Amino acid sequence: MANKEAIVVPFLDLKTQYRTIAPEVEPAVTRILAEGAYILGKEVEAFEKEFAAFLGAGHAIAVSSGLDALRIALQALGIGPGDEVITAANTFIATALSITGVGARPVLVDPDDATANIESSTISRAITPRTKAIMPVHLYGLPADMEPILALAKQHGLPVIEDACQAHGANMNGRRAGTFGEIGCFSFYPGKNLGAAGDGGMVVTNRPDLAEKLRRLRNYGQERKYYHVDLGGNHRLDEIQAAILRIKLRRLDGWNQARQGHARAYTQELSSMPLVLPRIPEGRTHIFHLYPVRTPRRDALQAHLTSRGIGTLIHYPIPIHLQPAYKHLQIAEGALPVAERMGRELLSLPMFPELTAAQIEEVVAVVRSFFA
Ligand SMILES: *Cc1c(COP(=O)(O)O)cnc(C)c1O
């Protein structure tokens, strides 16, 4: 049998997507450069309005990254030293860094084995008199089960800050992720479902008082020019990024649908393999920021895929409590077994809207050959 031409499948391909939007992006960027207004101008304002409308949120405040979004969300709620914030042990480091960044303590809970999201029952057991907020993460693009979390939060008088940095446009019972809690936080890191050509983020809220405070916090705590009422920072999104993100936002639902199609194909073609595949609970949409599969033979599977030109990544190999930076939390190995097992067994397959049928077929064939 003749050897077929090897098909290379990158984990993520931003260049192919850029070619589809270049005819709109390039004149927009050139226009902004020529106009000479680079910070907090009309592009940022328009993008905030459009993003709020996209989500069905009352207010959107553009910021410089997902981490900054989370951090000013905590600051706006007055959370600081001595306070505890409950979040997931298996999240990206930024979630925890936002909490330690304001001087508070992250209280890590183990995720649900089936969805990888934290749930109200485990969150409930982590609540103490020092708890000041709950920060669920809509991990991999699947919304966490928000209704019981909101009920629990209400019962204890706690605000909910959603880390929606992987869930732009995902919804649950008809509501978009990021609009359930007091504040929702998004990242526009280039690899996210909605990504800038650099860093960016967004904070959304339905509360006008919080919106006002968040707006000040992102811009030196300034209420009016050279009059500062909060100890804010410089967490602004710039005009060029906002212009690019406006162009991309119009395509986001379509791109998410393309990801969902790829996920369906993976799920259909891999369901007979000894792998745990992503599941979508009733009433939720998954926007497949990532498509992680699970197997105890993860490292060997990854090596096999790499040797055949298929890019994969691990999200995330080391849970927060086992990171050297969080040694001071003094949480021993074995304490959060679900998160730890996910760190050993999860492998994210290539996932981006522009994946071709031939690329998906190749990934499937190479995974099958590993288990054959
Ligand atoms: C990407 C991400 C962040 C941080 O976003 P940045 O824009 O990189 O600062 C926070 N939380 C989660 C879950 C993320 O995936």
Side-chain angles (χ1 to χ4, degrees):
M1 195 173 76
N3 245 345
K4 271 198 307 181
E5 186 78 31
I7 299 176
V8 171
V9 190
F11 177 73
L12 173 67
D13 176 0
L14 295 175
K15 287 191 279 188
T16 301
Q17 179 169 94
Y18 180 65
R19 282 197 294 274
T20 69
I21 56 171
E24 263 184 85
V25 169
E26 283 164 17
V29 170
T30 308
R31 179 173 46 75
I32 291 162
L33 289 173
E35 282 172 358
Y38 304 134
I39 297 280
L40 293 187
K42 54 184 198 282
E43 293 291 336
V44 166
E45 208 181 304
F47 178 49
E48 288 174 342
K49 288 211 171 78
E50 288 158 8
F51 196 75
F54 171 79
L55 293 179
H59 310 268
I61 298 99
V63 294
S64 39
S65 72
L67 173 60
D68 286 342
L70 292 162
R71 199 176 155 138
I72 67 168
L74 290 162
Q75 238 186 312
L77 291 164
I79 292 162
D83 298 338
E84 294 178 354
V85 178
I86 298 172
T87 195
N90 58 321
T91 183
F92 178 58
I93 193 75
T95 319
L97 285 174
S98 71
I99 299 167
T100 36
V102 299
R105 181 183 175 87
V107 173
L108 304 172
V109 303
D110 228 4
D112 170 56
D113 192 65
T115 63
N117 282 327
I118 58 171
E119 298 217 308
S120 61
S121 52
T122 34
I123 295 169
S124 167
R125 275 179 260 135
I127 294 176
T128 76
R130 288 176 302 281
T131 307
K132 288 289 147 46
I134 302 172
M135 190 181 271
V137 184
H138 306 302
L139 206 63
Y140 311 139
L142 176 72
D145 193 6
M146 289 308 290
E147 272 140 40
I149 294 174
L150 292 173
L152 177 73
K154 193 167 171 198
Q155 188 192 329
H156 291 269
L158 296 171
V160 172
I161 301 168
E162 295 172 73
D163 182 341
C165 289
Q166 301 189 358
H168 321 67
N171 78 63
M172 181 160 183
N173 300 328
R175 252 166 98 184
R176 302 263 202 190
T179 65
F180 288 90
E182 241 70 28
I183 302 178
C185 300
F186 293 85
S187 162
F188 305 125
Y189 180 77
K192 302 292 163 94
N193 290 36
L194 179 60
D199 280 306
M202 189 75 85
V203 192
V204 305
T205 182
N206 285 322
R207 275 178 50 183
D209 60 320
L210 283 179
E212 231 171 85
K213 182 145 194 182
L214 289 161
R215 244 173 238 295
R216 290 196 304 265
L217 286 171
R218 83 156 163 202
N219 192 27
Y220 300 122
Q222 179 168 291
E223 189 181 77
R224 55 179 194 270
K225 195 134 182 100
Y226 304 134
Y227 185 76
H228 307 270
V229 298
D230 298 296
L231 299 174
N234 177 351
H235 307 293
R236 300 176 304 227
L237 183 74
D238 64 62
E239 288 284 289
I240 289 178
Q241 295 303 342
I244 295 170
L245 287 162
R246 289 181 70 194
I247 292 163
K248 296 182 79 167
L249 178 62
R250 287 178 221 130
R251 292 160 169 86
L252 178 58
D253 277 332
W255 284 334
N256 283 343
Q257 282 156 19
R259 288 172 184 267
Q260 287 163 343
H262 304 332
R264 274 195 299 277
Y266 276 146
T267 298
Q268 191 177 326
E269 298 301 319
L270 296 174
S271 60
S272 59
M273 296 293 104
L275 287 170
V276 179
L277 304 176
R279 268 167 289 177
I280 312 170
E282 188 67 32
R284 286 180 246 185
T285 64
H286 195 319
I287 53 148
F288 290 100
H289 172 56
L290 297 167
Y291 187 94
V293 301
R294 227 170 100 189
T295 166
R297 299 175 64 198
R298 191 269 310 278
D299 292 342
L301 175 61
Q302 183 176 40
H304 180 75
L305 287 160
T306 305
S307 75
R308 306 288 204 85
I310 293 170
T312 58
L313 284 174
I314 297 166
H315 300 93
Y316 297 90
I318 305 170
I320 305 297
H321 62 292
L322 302 181
Q323 294 287 354
Y326 282 107
K327 259 206 307 269
H328 64 279
L329 295 177
Q330 295 188 300
I331 304 172
E333 189 162 357
L336 296 160
V338 181
E340 292 170 27
R341 190 164 62 242
M342 286 179 176
R344 289 191 299 270
E345 298 190 349
L346 283 175
L347 184 66
S348 301
L349 300 183
M351 177 54 80
F352 51 91
E354 297 75 19
L355 266 179
T356 65
Q359 286 177 316
I360 292 172
E361 236 172 75
E362 178 70 5
V363 175
V364 166
V366 176
V367 171
R368 287 184 169 189
S369 72
F370 174 76
F371 289 108

